[in-house]
Amino acid sequence: MALNKYSNADKILLAVDCIIFGFDKGGLKILLIKRDFEPEQGKWSLMGGFLKEDENLDEAAIRILQHLTGLRTIYMEQLYTFSKVDRDPVERTLSVAYYALIDIAMHDQELVNTSAQWFSLDKAPHLIFDHSQMVEKAIARLKRRALSKPIGFELLPPKFTMRQLQKLYESILDKKLDKRNFINKINSFGILVRLDEKDTNASKKGAYLYTFDKVKYDEKVLEGFNFKI
Amino acid sequence: MALNKYSNADKILLAVDCIIFGFDKGGLKILLIKRDFEPEQGKWSLMGGFLKEDENLDEAAIRILQHLTGLRTIYMEQLYTFSKVDRDPVERTLSVAYYALIDIAMHDQELVNTSAQWFSLDKAPHLIFDHSQMVEKAIARLKRRALSKPIGFELLPPKFTMRQLQKLYESILDKKLDKRNFINKINSFGILVRLDEKDTNASKKGAYLYTFDKVKYDEKVLEGFNFKI
DNA sequence: TATATAAGTGTAAAAAAAACACTTTACAAT
DNA sequence: ATTGTAAAGTGTTTTTTTTACACTTATATA
């Protein structure tokens, strides 16, 4: 077997860009950093870096995100590979976009000492290159995902109220949902456990706290469901 | 603005592999070729080649598919980028998988003089590298797609019978559907036009021929639907 | 103790999906 | 000419899912 190299083919730079969605009581947000090298230094950008010879894309995404933001153990999913010839003015570069969902409060500590900042989706600044297009595609994917699989485990604190979960869905789907119908639907999936504790931050009466039944939650992630709401 | 190159980053080979699904009266099939260079020469493989410096991925996919099979004007969609470090034994190579759906009979002429062959999904040979994994992922995507958007325009002849369309859905979803429920559902989308012609190939009585109302079809592709069946 | 605020709860109507079987047509075989 | 055969065509009922909708409860605070 002749193991010559594929000598005629072009080698190309491969970037990985990370779209991190976060959620807190202010709603759905996106994490951006100030780019610290040319071109477009000082402009807002996704967290990005280059794939190395000896790592796969998932690994690169984790390394790059951690390097730029301090965020660890974030599960990211591959979104799409962007390949317009002139997408980067410096040099031909493809970029594989990854996205993830996290609970802002939970990861706040990791983000100190970085230039990373959270932006509400509608107040995000203009982004470099084709990063805005990446974000758009990620939002579309996130919406589709929210309708076909449970969402929230990564975005909410370990204990949360029904209203927080509903707000999360409302932010992602970008529409108001009916309180009772939402509860009925969510309960029909059997992925929630109601605790005997209440959260009194947001109301005088106090709202029951819930956790996810991780086993059932994961089952539903695999089998998918139809959150037609 | 300093337009230095990104000099420290690794450059890597980028392949594009094409998964072509075809449909005819034998059901859903996949197009494969005998690989004509080492390694794995003579083994079955997806249609693949390398991305060039001056083209984007969509263009590369079209070029590669046409070069290897003669197929022209096939609309392919990006599926996923595969990046395991040792996925190609010769040299570090990433591969971006693309997939498309075509009507076998319609493109038969283009495929003469190539080593490309159609295989039923369950009778496909072992494929090189991670190509089987690519095909699996493409099948999963195809199923999801069939449930959320109309499918068939690219896979069926211009005129087709209701039963052909149903068989197409049955092949993709890999389950039997009820004839009457299928017709009612499809008709509710308003994407079909019944012609006054009949097709008598498959039955003595003859079956009405249909075409797609392309405008309504495209609308439904954009807005999506819920083919819960 | 009155008020204000968010939480919690159930039912009825409408829409969608699923289950289900007989008739029609025309060719082929006798 | 009659009968058999093979696929096409056609509606209704039941069940499930979705939607719309409004009042009561708990408690902190004025």
Side-chain angles (χ1 to χ4, degrees):
Chain A
M1 181 154 92
L3 287 183
N4 305 320
K5 302 253 169 179
Y6 300 123
S7 44
N8 292 325
D10 297 335
K11 293 191 173 190
I12 296 176
L13 281 178
L14 260 162
V16 175
D17 286 300
C18 306
I19 298 142
I20 308 298
F21 292 109
F23 187 71
D24 67 8
K25 48 181 179 287
L28 195 63
K29 296 181 180 165
I30 186 171
L31 190 64
L32 301 174
I33 53 164
K34 271 216 168 110
R35 189 166 154 108
D36 68 352
F37 57 96
E38 290 295 349
E40 307 277 10
Q41 184 159 16
K43 301 278 181 65
W44 291 101
S45 139
L46 295 171
M47 285 64 69
F50 292 102
L51 177 71
K52 293 185 178 171
E53 178 90 25
D54 61 352
E55 65 185 355
N56 66 32
L57 287 166
D58 293 5
E59 289 160 354
I62 290 168
R63 172 180 59 76
I64 288 163
L65 183 66
Q66 204 206 312
H67 173 243
L68 292 173
T69 67
L71 290 170
R72 293 165 170 281
T73 64
I74 304 294
Y75 172 71
M76 281 180 278
E77 220 164 274
Q78 190 185 305
L79 177 66
Y80 194 78
T81 300
F82 294 81
S83 67
K84 254 180 54 188
V85 171
D86 58 356
R87 56 172 297 284
D88 184 321
V90 178
E91 193 172 353
R92 179 75 203 279
T93 309
L94 267 70
S95 173
V96 184
Y98 272 73
Y99 79 107
L101 314 170
I102 69 173
D103 171 16
I104 291 181
M106 182 114 109
H107 293 276
D108 234 17
Q109 282 315 304
E110 296 167 88
L111 285 173
V112 296
N113 300 325
T114 67
S115 64
Q117 262 182 51
W118 291 105
F119 289 87
S120 287
L121 285 186
D122 49 334
K123 286 178 201 128
H126 205 261
L127 300 181
I128 63 163
F129 301 172
D130 51 0
H131 287 195
S132 297
Q133 202 189 327
M134 292 179 181
V135 172
E136 252 176 67
K137 200 156 186 123
I139 292 172
R141 175 81 65 100
L142 187 54
K143 274 190 203 184
R144 235 180 314 135
R145 214 211 106 117
L147 293 173
S148 65
K149 292 177 182 179
I151 222 163
F153 189 81
E154 314 84 351
L155 282 155
L156 293 173
K159 298 173 182 181
F160 52 89
T161 66
M162 192 61 91
R163 209 44 51 87
Q164 280 176 282
L165 184 59
Q166 184 178 340
K167 287 240 172 76
L168 170 59
Y169 267 90
E170 289 180 339
S171 322
I172 292 175
L173 301 178
D174 199 20
K175 70 173 174 185
K176 284 260 165 248
L177 303 176
D178 178 89
K179 191 162 52 161
R180 278 169 294 187
N181 292 342
F182 181 80
I183 290 172
N184 290 338
K185 188 79 181 198
I186 284 287
N187 280 335
S188 77
F189 296 140
I191 58 176
L192 290 186
V193 180
R194 190 169 92 171
L195 305 176
D196 279 333
E197 289 173 76
K198 288 199 164 196
D199 171 289
T200 50
N201 291 322
S203 88
K204 294 158 186 169
K205 182 180 175 184
Y208 280 108
L209 286 167
Y210 290 79
T211 55
F212 287 110
D213 176 333
K214 194 58 171 38
V215 174
K216 297 241 178 82
Y217 185 97
D218 287 342
E219 268 173 37
K220 287 290 177 189
V221 167
L222 280 182
E223 87 190 44
F225 57 49
N226 207 337
F227 202 110
K228 189 175 197 173
I229 203 162
Chain B
M1 182 154 89
L3 285 185
N4 306 319
K5 302 252 170 180
Y6 299 121
S7 43
N8 292 324
D10 297 335
K11 292 191 173 190
I12 297 176
L13 280 178
L14 261 162
V16 174
D17 286 299
C18 305
I19 298 142
I20 307 299
F21 292 108
F23 187 71
D24 68 7
K25 49 180 178 286
L28 194 64
K29 295 180 182 167
I30 187 169
L31 189 65
L32 301 173
I33 53 164
K34 272 217 167 109
R35 188 167 155 106
D36 68 352
F37 56 97
E38 290 294 351
E40 305 278 10
Q41 183 160 16
K43 301 279 181 64
W44 291 100
S45 139
L46 294 171
M47 285 63 69
F50 292 102
L51 177 71
K52 294 185 178 171
E53 178 91 24
D54 61 352
E55 65 185 355
N56 66 32
L57 287 166
D58 293 6
E59 289 160 357
I62 290 168
R63 172 179 59 77
I64 288 163
L65 183 66
Q66 204 205 312
H67 174 243
L68 292 173
T69 67
L71 290 170
R72 293 165 170 281
T73 63
I74 304 294
Y75 172 71
M76 280 180 279
E77 218 164 276
Q78 189 185 306
L79 177 66
Y80 194 79
T81 300
F82 294 82
S83 66
K84 251 179 57 187
V85 171
D86 58 355
R87 56 172 297 285
D88 184 320
V90 177
E91 194 172 352
R92 178 75 202 277
T93 309
L94 267 68
S95 172
V96 184
Y98 271 73
Y99 79 107
L101 315 170
I102 68 174
D103 171 17
I104 291 180
M106 181 115 110
H107 293 275
D108 235 18
Q109 283 314 304
E110 297 168 86
L111 285 173
V112 294
N113 301 325
T114 67
S115 64
Q117 261 183 52
W118 291 107
F119 290 86
S120 288
L121 285 187
D122 49 333
K123 285 177 201 129
H126 205 258
L127 299 181
I128 64 162
F129 302 171
D130 50 1
H131 287 194
S132 297
Q133 202 190 327
M134 292 179 180
V135 171
E136 252 177 67
K137 199 154 186 128
I139 292 171
R141 175 81 64 100
L142 186 55
K143 273 190 203 184
R144 238 180 313 135
R145 215 211 104 116
L147 293 174
S148 64
K149 291 175 182 182
I151 221 163
F153 189 81
E154 314 85 349
L155 282 153
L156 293 171
K159 297 172 182 182
F160 52 89
T161 66
M162 192 60 91
R163 209 43 53 89
Q164 279 175 281
L165 183 60
Q166 185 179 339
K167 287 241 172 76
L168 170 58
Y169 267 90
E170 289 180 337
S171 321
I172 292 175
L173 301 179
D174 199 19
K175 70 172 177 188
K176 285 260 166 249
L177 303 176
D178 178 88
K179 191 163 53 163
R180 279 167 292 186
N181 292 342
F182 181 81
I183 290 173
N184 291 338
K185 187 81 183 196
I186 284 286
N187 281 334
S188 77
F189 297 140
I191 58 175
L192 290 186
V193 179
R194 190 170 91 172
L195 305 176
D196 278 334
E197 291 173 73
K198 288 199 164 195
D199 171 290
T200 50
N201 291 324
S203 87
K204 295 157 185 171
K205 182 181 176 184
Y208 281 107
L209 285 167
Y210 291 79
T211 57
F212 287 110
D213 176 333
K214 193 60 170 40
V215 175
K216 297 242 179 80
Y217 184 97
D218 287 341
E219 268 172 36
K220 288 289 178 189
V221 168
L222 278 184
E223 87 188 46
F225 57 48
N226 207 338
F227 202 109
K228 190 176 196 174
I229 204 162

